[in-house]
Amino acid sequence: MYVKLLRSSWDDFAICAGVLTGALLLSLLPSILFSSPPLMISGLILPIVSAFLILIFSLSYFGFQFSHLVRFGSTRRRSLALTFSVAATVALFCMLLSALLTGAEGLLVSIRRDVPPNTEIFSLPLWAWFAIPLAAIAMGALCGTILHRFGKKGMWALWAIWMSVCFIPQIFNSYLDHLPDLTLPGIASGAALFLAFCWSIWYLLRAPVRE
């Protein structure tokens, strides 16, 4: 069943590959058009783009694919395990492809003779490359569960979550100078996401599925 789901999701992998490759080309476009040194920002942009891709596809899997599997006679636990497996596979594909494209960018830039030797390379820390797919899957599971629970009304909840993600960092930005350390807010945010993820799992194992 897992292999069949992967085969039916081949277009998802194609979309991820196309979007990530396009993001890399866009980051290199200014240096190609104007013959200027590249910015070397793929290690920063590609993981962020991957996060959005993982979030969107995880939302789709947990919000719709899970219900389809249950309707076709699969148990809830097996359906949830299959949904997790496919979401994790997409996440692994996105992050590995991001790392591969980032390395390819560095290789191509090293061939060019007009690149200064002290060119700064922008990249996320190593721990972020592991935290991003985990957080994106958890967030996608939460959003998918909200749609599963509330239907069309859940779109308002997703809109509220999106607005919070967009504006809360800007609101707290004015208070950063008064915070000696961002460890506690980070831990609180991670704990809140983990609890919300646990609720998603609890609900999906018990929620009614419409015929």
Side-chain angles (χ1 to χ4, degrees):
M1 179 63 74
Y2 170 71
V3 176
K4 291 182 179 179
L5 288 176
L6 288 182
R7 289 177 179 175
S8 65
S9 303
W10 69 268
D11 51 339
D12 297 344
F13 293 91
I15 291 174
C16 292
V19 171
L20 290 174
T21 304
L24 174 63
L25 294 177
L26 285 177
S27 67
L28 295 175
L29 189 61
S31 64
I32 297 174
L33 293 178
F34 304 104
S35 299
S36 59
L39 297 177
M40 300 293 291
I41 57 175
S42 62
L44 181 65
I45 291 180
L46 295 185
I48 296 176
V49 175
S50 295
F52 282 99
L53 291 171
I54 297 168
L55 172 62
I56 292 171
F57 285 114
S58 296
L59 186 156
S60 173
Y61 297 150
F62 284 95
F64 305 102
Q65 188 181 79
F66 172 80
S67 300
H68 292 325
L69 291 173
V70 175
R71 291 193 193 101
F72 291 149
S74 178
T75 64
R76 293 178 182 274
R77 290 187 178 182
R78 188 166 185 264
S79 300
L80 192 59
L82 289 171
T83 303
F84 265 118
S85 300
V86 176
T89 304
V90 171
L92 181 62
F93 175 79
C94 288
M95 300 309 294
L96 287 178
L97 183 58
S98 297
L100 181 62
L101 291 176
T102 300
E105 180 197 43
L107 181 61
L108 291 175
V109 169
S110 64
I111 300 176
R112 294 181 54 176
R113 298 180 180 180
D114 58 338
V115 178
N118 58 345
T119 301
E120 185 175 2
I121 300 176
F122 297 92
S123 179
L124 293 177
L126 182 60
W127 64 266
W129 287 74
F130 293 94
I132 282 177
L134 295 177
I137 291 176
M139 197 68 184
L142 173 61
C143 295
T145 305
I146 290 175
L147 289 179
H148 190 283
R149 171 64 178 83
F150 300 103
K152 294 182 179 179
K153 296 180 180 179
M155 295 297 297
W156 291 103
L158 298 185
W159 178 82
I161 293 174
W162 173 251
M163 290 294 101
S164 300
V165 171
C166 291
F167 291 106
I168 285 181
Q170 299 181 20
I171 295 174
F172 279 103
N173 188 46
S174 58
Y175 298 96
L176 291 179
D177 295 336
H178 305 286
L179 292 175
D181 190 4
L182 296 178
T183 302
L184 290 180
I187 293 176
S189 300
L193 180 59
F194 177 75
L195 292 176
F197 176 71
C198 291
W199 171 80
S200 301
I201 302 304
W202 177 86
Y203 178 80
L204 290 176
L205 290 175
R206 293 164 176 80
V209 176
R210 298 178 182 177
E211 298 295 336

